[in-house]
């Protein structure tokens, strides 16, 4: 069973967001990295780009497939995980430790539309 962390918010497209004050840290879930296999490239937006909830902000490519990244929340990109530019495989080692982008949240009420850990575990259980 893929690892799911309590206290994060999850999307049906297998992204997570960890909220700390007004900052959302976004990455892909353990379930997603298992499904993708060995990650070979991560396409990320630039700092100061705007992302929209439910909209594509980049992509993760593996030896098996490429998968679009959809933002769980809207806001402005304030940081990208530059380590992934040289070592995209870090996502396979620990998908939760190796986030992709951090955004300044523009509308925290969007979090109400996302799943909690329990709901996400149930959702993943139905995917198999």
């Amino acid at each position: 069973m893929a690892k799911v962390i309590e206290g994060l918010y999850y999307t049906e497209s297998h992204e997570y967001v960890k909220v700390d004050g007004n900052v959302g840290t976004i990455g892909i879930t353990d379930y997603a990295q298992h499904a993708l296999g060995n990650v070979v490239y991560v396409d990320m937006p630039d700092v100061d780009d705007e992302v929209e909830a439910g909209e594509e902000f980049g992509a993760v490519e593996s030896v098996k497939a490429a998968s679009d990244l959809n933002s769980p929340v809207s806001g402005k990109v304030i940081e990208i995980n530059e380590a992934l530019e040289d070592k995209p495989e870090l996502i396979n080692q620990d998908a939760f430790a190796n986030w992709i982008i951090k955004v300044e949240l523009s509308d925290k009420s969007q979090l109400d539309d996302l799943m909690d850990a329990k709901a996400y575990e149930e959702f993943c259980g139905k995917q198999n």
Side-chain angles (χ1 to χ4, degrees):
M1 178 67 190
K3 182 166 80 172
V4 176
I5 295 181
E6 289 288 335
L8 304 183
Y9 298 89
Y10 297 90
T11 68
E12 290 188 358
S13 52
H14 305 290
E15 290 86 15
Y16 68 83
V17 59
K18 175 183 171 189
V19 178
D20 186 11
N22 208 32
V23 175
T25 301
I26 299 170
I28 66 168
T29 64
D30 192 48
Y31 182 95
Q33 72 83 15
H34 276 293
L36 280 165
N38 294 336
V39 174
V40 295
Y41 179 71
V42 181
D43 180 31
M44 295 177 277
D46 294 321
V47 170
D48 290 335
D49 281 1
E50 294 284 333
V51 295
E52 291 291 325
E55 299 288 314
E56 184 185 329
F57 71 84
V60 176
E61 293 180 22
S62 72
V63 289
K64 284 198 246 176
S67 183
D68 290 341
L69 295 167
N70 297 308
S71 186
V73 291
S74 299
K76 184 172 84 169
V77 178
I78 55 174
E79 193 178 344
I80 62 168
N81 188 348
E82 294 179 5
L84 297 178
E85 291 174 347
D86 295 326
K87 293 191 168 179
E89 66 275 10
L90 288 170
I91 287 179
N92 293 119
Q93 291 167 20
D94 189 335
F96 292 108
N98 293 290
W99 51 274
I100 298 172
I101 61 171
K102 292 188 179 185
V103 299
E104 189 177 335
L105 303 175
S106 61
D107 182 0
K108 284 180 100 169
S109 72
Q110 292 173 333
L111 298 171
D112 297 339
D113 298 332
L114 302 173
M115 291 179 278
D116 65 9
K118 185 173 187 302
Y120 181 69
E121 278 182 340
E122 289 171 5
F123 175 78
C124 289
K126 291 176 186 153
Q127 299 291 297
N128 297 333

